[in-house]
Amino acid sequence: MSHRVTLIPGDGIGPEVTNAARIVADATGVPIEWEVVEAGEKVMAKEGTPLPSRVLESLRKNRVGLKGPITTPIGSGFRSVNVALRQELDLYASLRPARAIAGEGTRYPDVNLVVVREATEGLYSGVEHWVDRDHSAGESINIITRKASERICRFAFDYATKNGRKKVTAVHKANIMKVTGGLFQEVFRTVAKGYPAITSEERLIDNMCMQLVKKPEEYDVLVTTNLFGDILSDLCAGLSGGLGVAPGALLGDSMALFEPVHGSAPKYAGQDKADPVAEILCLELLLRHLGYKEEAEKVFRAVWETIYEKKVVTYDLALPGYTNWPTKPSTCSAMAKEIARKVNDVDLDAPLKRRDWTSGAAPAAGLANDKALEA
Ligand code: NAD
């Protein structure tokens, strides 16, 4: 039986990276029938809406989807399609794993944490207005409910339990935002009591950012509200190798939509230059969701080996100073084909090779090497 999966190519680099994921999906042999539906800027220009009802209908019917990034105009213009999708379909849990792959492109080869972000309310509820006629003051409403806080905290603890993770850290700002942050904190503490086998702790958002940059290996699962989760997941993407390698999943009670953390990177659109790994790792998560564990593991290992070998990698992974630095960065499509070629050759029992350049071959950069700072 083949699986019908909704595919939203999206804007900017979206069509290129989703096409890359399809190339790898074909190599796995998993029978997937893609139902392609367009959303975003181009549809807006043609149909006057960036999110036609057929997109929501397709996702409601298929219950699983793969999505490329969608542009949101800054300051004015149409409302975020991404936020609308999450709210309309009640995709309340945004799961964003940050794993350092092969020790490449990161200063933190041991990073392996997961950000669980509440995706339907908070400061992204879209409730904002001008306070006066002159537009000299604005107000955004931060909606935090007991119901949404409880289900996201429960989701984080259930995820930790099912995936052998040991600790859940709640991130909030309850010292300043005593009502909204305080409610989230209270609910987290109550939910945590039901999971005695999992360690629970809390951090204020500002301290969390500092702790993550200093010692990310001490964190496991982070659970937080919408805006803090958006910012933390980009920070964690940076820890694990950059936006080009950071996948994500949006999960509801009976629906799953997989999308990378990165945006539509308009400056690289149409150049076959973007890193396809984030979208390919979304495919890995999608295959796990459909129950194809072995195929998912093969995709992950094929990505890992391609990055470890560093012969066919895109510009963001081909940084000067690393060992095996390729002289010429590869294209998005060439990297996808290389990963696809490896999918059926990977040895599922072999140990994953890792380059820990922090112990020697690090790029010569940073304040310690900055001659301008010498007296
Ligand atoms: P962005 O993620 O598009 O780009 C940030 C930086 O990362 C840029 O330097 C970009 O070139 C680089 N980058 C991103 N993805 C990459 C990849 N796959 N390979 C190599 N480099 C990559 O963020 P932005 O510039 O803030 O946003 C651009 C647009 O994307 C905006 O309209 C924003 O609203 C939208 N956006 C959409 C989503 C989504 O659809 N879920 C998420 C974030 C941003």
Side-chain angles (χ1 to χ4, degrees), residues 67 69-72 82 243 259 262-265 267-268 275 315:
K67 172 181 168 295
I70 294 179
T71 298
T72 308
N82 303 306
L243 282 170
E259 64 167 4
H262 67 70
S264 55
K267 69 180 176 192
Y268 295 138
D275 189 337
Y315 79 95

Side-chain angles (χ1 to χ4, degrees), residues 11 13 17 41 67-74 80-82 86 96 117 230 234 242-245 250 259-268 273-279 314-316:
D11 296 319
I13 59 171
V17 293
E41 271 181 328
K67 172 181 168 295
I70 294 179
T71 298
T72 308
I74 296 173
S80 166
V81 171
N82 303 306
R86 293 162 198 167
R96 295 181 158 182
R117 159 188 173 197
D230 197 7
D234 263 41
L243 282 170
V245 297
L250 288 163
E259 64 167 4
V261 176
H262 67 70
S264 55
K267 69 180 176 192
Y268 295 138
K273 187 174 173 179
D275 189 337
V277 165
E279 194 76 52
T314 45
Y315 79 95
D316 54 322

